Amino acid sequence: MEKSRRKFLKIASHALGGALAAGIAAPLVGLVVHPLMKETVYGTEDFINIGKREDFPVGVPKKMSITSSKMDAWNVFDGLVMGSVWVIRQEDDSFHVFSTNCPHLGCGIDWGQEENKFLCPCHGGVFDVDGKTLAGPSPRGLFAFKTKIENDNVLVSYKEII
Ligand code: FES
């Protein structure tokens, strides 16, 4: 009788120890396996939605923020502001999207409503509504981004300059 009770207690304590070990090991295994099974770094997706087509008046530049989500290991960052762009809806409903940074030395470019031109405050850079250099030291026109329309949404490829 004593022998079978000892045997039972031995099996029960092993079972309890095994259950506790499994309870501790499972999250650790998950910690190691999770990065192998799932994408753990993402962000700056190819095309970023910047609004509905009708949000943009034809021919008038509108400044928009570029926001995205980013995952880095176990940290998820939503609504990260990555930068901004000038968006100009064309007569034919296509879109021109320009960087807000001057191609000369990167200063922020503003739209001069009265001048009807993009103006850089740093060294007098001037660009027309199509992004072409009109005056100043910039060796090229404004940086333009690839765009497309999907379901009436304006999408911008913020990492691809054309
Ligand atoms: S940074 Fe714009 S003109 Fe120099």
Side-chain angles (χ1 to χ4, degrees):
M1 185 64 138
E2 182 64 27
K3 225 175 180 182
S4 70
R5 202 178 87 182
R6 277 193 184 175
K7 192 174 179 185
F8 168 77
L9 288 174
K10 188 176 175 185
I11 290 171
S13 70
H14 282 182
L16 185 62
L20 286 172
I24 292 168
L28 295 176
V29 169
L31 213 62
V32 172
V33 172
H34 177 266
L36 302 173
M37 307 294 284
K38 197 176 173 202
E39 190 179 22
T40 55
V41 176
Y42 67 77
T44 62
E45 58 267 28
D46 285 346
F47 280 91
I48 295 170
N49 188 343
I50 58 168
K52 288 281 182 196
R53 187 199 315 250
E54 59 269 15
D55 296 339
F56 300 94
V58 174
V60 181
K62 187 173 179 183
K63 194 174 184 179
M64 299 296 293
S65 291
I66 298 286
T67 57
S68 184
S69 298
K70 182 179 179 221
M71 181 177 191
D72 185 359
W74 284 268
N75 300 313
V76 177
F77 306 96
D78 286 322
L80 274 181
V81 177
M82 297 163 48
S84 57
V85 291
W86 285 106
V87 184
I88 306 114
R89 183 177 174 181
Q90 306 297 299
E91 293 280 351
D92 65 359
D93 255 3
S94 66
F95 281 79
H96 289 177
V97 177
F98 298 119
S99 169
T100 56
N101 296 105
C102 181
H104 179 224
L105 292 178
C107 289
I109 288 176
D110 286 323
W111 174 247
Q113 193 66 47
E114 287 176 19
E115 297 87 349
N116 205 36
K117 294 175 178 79
F118 288 105
L119 307 169
C120 179
C122 291
H123 312 104
V126 182
F127 307 86
D128 71 10
V129 73
D130 294 322
K132 293 186 189 84
T133 303
L134 298 176
S138 177
R140 55 158 294 157
L142 298 180
F143 295 117
F145 297 105
K146 201 170 174 181
T147 64
K148 67 180 179 181
I149 306 293
E150 265 180 21
N151 302 324
D152 243 20
N153 292 308
V154 182
L155 307 175
V156 176
S157 176
Y158 192 58
K159 57 185 176 184
E160 195 174 347
I161 292 171
I162 51 174

